[in-house]
Amino acid sequence: MNRRDFLRNSLCSALGGAGLYSALGNLQLVSAAARLNAYAFDDYKALVCIFLYGGNDSLNTILPTSGQPHTDYLALRGNLAQTTGLHALTPSSGGGASDGANYALHPALPEIATLFNAGHAAIVANVGTLLYPTSQLQFQNGSIGVPPQLLSHNDQQAQWQTAHSDDANSNGWGGRIADLLHAANSGQVPMSVTVSGTNLMQRGAIVNQYAIDPAGVSAVNYLGGGDETWIIGDGPIADDKTAYNALIAGGTQAHVLERAFANASSRAITNYQFVSAALNSAPTLTTTFPDTDLGNQLAMVAKLISVRSALGMSRQVFFVSAGNYDTHSDQIANQQDNLSELSQAVSAFYAATAEPALNVANSVTAFTASDFGRTLQGNSTGTDHGWGGHHFVIGGAVQGKRFYGTMPSLKADNNPDDTGYGQIIPTLAVDQYAATLASWFGVASGDLSTVFPNLGRFAAPNLGFV
């Protein structure tokens, strides 16, 4: 083992495992670790990732209503084309789509259309997983590297959530941000909070994600005060709570795995008590959230934001999600339901951040993400796995009422943006999309390459939408 490997492995062991080296890269992690206490903020900001599992068909979500793009869209989509009940978008001067066409949103998205037209939402066009800027010719002749396992749900979800398509062992980009910034918070609860189960986007080397249910914090079972009794060694019979406390008491475990379990259990109990107490003091919000899965998740995010001071938070990363976006069949009905849930939940969330009890609309930025877009052509009643897709960014700090990036061609034939198999080649990388959010969040420009190792391969590290 040479000196560099020795230093790398030793530091990884101290800070949480080889994943840190994988995520942060070579000896950059030394300077990153040294800077953990360099970040301090006198304001509050939150990022809220809304992941649409399955791959949303963004071509039927945001669609052209004029010019050649509209003609191409109708010819391309046939019976899947959306033509009635659309919600027109009115971009600001100079903020229209790159192809010059007028655009509208799917019939199920009136609330997001209202947010866009009011300047509180933006559209980022044709984002996807990339290793390098890629042309059709380069893709077809194999002269440039592309992300592995394109069109695979699991792989593309992972690559979206890591923004590191050439490292299968990478931690998530939200987790890498938390590793860098967490010391700016004074609270004991992790700054990465998921209301949708564990996810890769928030996996860090130092900061664990804190999972909470939409209904609140779930107590460890033994806190329920059961009447079971335990015999501890040769000692007396004890109730279950006393017995469990004895098992996890500090300094009483002989094996390293027992100590790890005891420490994790103790943290979970402490965090449960701490977060529960904070939520019990949460102000009452006047906003009514839709009683849907996504609506309930975002309602809990709003509630957690309302007690940010009690939790000691100046920076937080939240993760929520919705499923059923893999619309190979019956897309018309499924997308109506999916997008209606999304639009209503996002609108309620923005309204909650803007109401006086929170007053953090300018400090909270929500954004969509998904496995991939869908194919240009339909397959009778649905669409298949694609590549690039369009996304929404919502919040008071968003430079809204604008399109960012390049709208792809929708031509059925001789389409320069088509892989040749119906998938749109992205013109913006997930790295750029995520780095723009990270810059607003407070990651210093000098640390962006640490969080996003491949960002330098792309011309614009900041897309300017927030």
Side-chain angles (χ1 to χ4, degrees):
M1 180 181 292
N2 60 36
R3 182 173 180 272
R4 173 175 291 188
D5 287 340
F6 173 77
L7 288 172
R8 170 170 64 83
N9 292 338
S10 298
L11 188 60
C12 287
S13 176
L15 294 184
L20 182 62
Y21 171 66
S22 175
L24 298 182
N26 287 325
L27 297 181
Q28 284 184 324
L29 63 84
V30 175
S31 57
R35 287 195 301 273
L36 284 176
N37 293 315
Y39 281 95
F41 303 106
D42 58 5
D43 62 353
Y44 175 81
K45 287 185 178 180
L47 288 172
V48 183
C49 176
I50 304 171
F51 205 94
L52 310 177
Y53 281 106
N56 178 44
D57 179 16
S58 62
L59 299 184
N60 263 22
T61 302
I62 304 160
L63 48 119
T65 57
S66 70
Q68 189 63 45
H70 176 60
T71 302
D72 292 338
Y73 167 78
L74 294 177
L76 187 75
R77 281 305 174 92
N79 66 308
L80 293 179
Q82 295 284 343
T83 57
T84 60
L86 305 178
H87 303 286
L89 300 177
T90 57
S92 59
S93 177
S98 61
D99 57 12
N102 295 325
Y103 275 79
L105 298 188
H106 187 281
L109 295 170
E111 296 87 359
I112 292 182
T114 298
L115 288 172
F116 180 94
N117 291 333
H120 305 315
I123 291 169
V124 186
N126 200 15
V127 187
T129 58
L130 287 170
L131 294 180
Y132 304 90
T134 303
S135 69
Q136 182 188 67
L137 179 61
Q138 289 171 321
F139 177 84
Q140 290 179 346
N141 65 22
S143 62
I144 198 166
V146 297
Q149 303 300 325
L150 287 175
L151 315 188
S152 157
H153 285 295
N154 290 343
D155 293 281
Q156 295 307 298
Q157 289 165 10
Q159 291 173 36
W160 255 95
Q161 293 183 27
T162 63
H164 203 343
S165 296
D166 51 359
D167 185 353
N169 297 313
S170 176
N171 287 325
W173 65 265
R176 299 197 296 272
I177 290 174
D179 285 344
L180 195 63
L181 303 188
H182 77 277
N185 294 320
S186 61
Q188 66 188 47
V189 177
M191 63 178 280
S192 297
V193 180
T194 173
V195 197
S196 184
T198 56
N199 60 84
L200 183 52
M201 186 259 191
Q202 292 180 310
R203 189 182 75 185
I206 301 171
V207 177
N208 293 319
Q209 53 195 286
Y210 182 75
I212 186 171
D213 291 335
V217 191
S218 297
V220 178
N221 287 340
Y222 92 101
L223 291 176
D227 57 4
E228 293 184 16
T229 57
W230 299 63
I231 298 177
I232 306 176
D234 296 325
I237 294 177
D239 65 85
D240 54 357
K241 185 172 181 179
T242 302
Y244 196 82
N245 282 336
L247 290 173
I248 64 174
T252 63
Q253 298 82 27
H255 193 281
V256 62
L257 294 180
E258 291 176 337
R259 290 195 296 274
F261 175 81
N263 290 338
S265 298
S266 296
R267 283 196 304 272
I269 294 167
T270 300
N271 286 339
Y272 161 77
Q273 295 166 336
F274 183 62
V275 175
S276 294
L279 290 175
N280 287 338
S281 67
T284 300
L285 301 179
T286 60
T287 301
T288 300
F289 281 82
D291 187 16
T292 60
D293 188 29
L294 187 58
N296 291 328
Q297 291 177 56
L298 286 172
M300 175 50 68
V301 172
K303 193 171 183 179
L304 287 165
I305 290 174
S306 76
V307 295
R308 60 195 180 279
S309 296
L311 295 176
M313 293 293 164
S314 63
R315 289 295 184 273
Q316 287 182 285
V317 179
F318 293 96
F319 185 92
V320 300
S321 72
N324 200 38
Y325 279 82
D326 192 18
T327 51
H328 289 282
S329 61
D330 201 20
Q331 177 171 298
I332 295 294
N334 286 334
Q335 198 171 35
Q336 176 70 30
D337 293 341
N338 294 342
L339 296 182
S340 179
E341 178 189 34
L342 173 67
S343 187
Q344 293 174 22
V346 164
S347 177
F349 181 69
Y350 178 79
T353 65
E355 68 170 84
L358 283 185
N359 194 29
V360 291
N362 292 340
S363 303
V364 179
T365 299
F367 59 95
T368 61
S370 193
D371 316 16
F372 33 61
R374 312 293 294 188
T375 48
L376 287 159
Q377 296 84 3
N379 64 6
S380 182
T381 63
T383 52
D384 297 317
H385 297 180
W387 192 358
H390 311 320
H391 289 280
F392 296 113
V393 186
I394 304 100
V398 173
Q399 303 301 304
K401 210 176 169 68
R402 299 179 65 90
F403 285 75
Y404 294 83
T406 303
M407 300 302 289
S409 170
L410 299 180
K411 292 184 179 296
D413 299 308
N414 300 315
N415 185 333
D417 299 317
D418 185 359
T419 61
Y421 306 96
Q423 292 85 24
I424 295 173
I425 300 169
T427 45
L428 291 177
V430 174
D431 312 57
Q432 297 168 279
Y433 184 60
T436 303
L437 294 163
S439 294
W440 170 81
F441 195 57
V443 175
S445 58
D447 285 334
L448 285 176
S449 61
T450 299
V451 179
F452 305 101
N454 296 335
L455 186 61
R457 298 172 179 175
F458 304 95
N462 193 317
L463 303 177
F465 55 77
V466 66

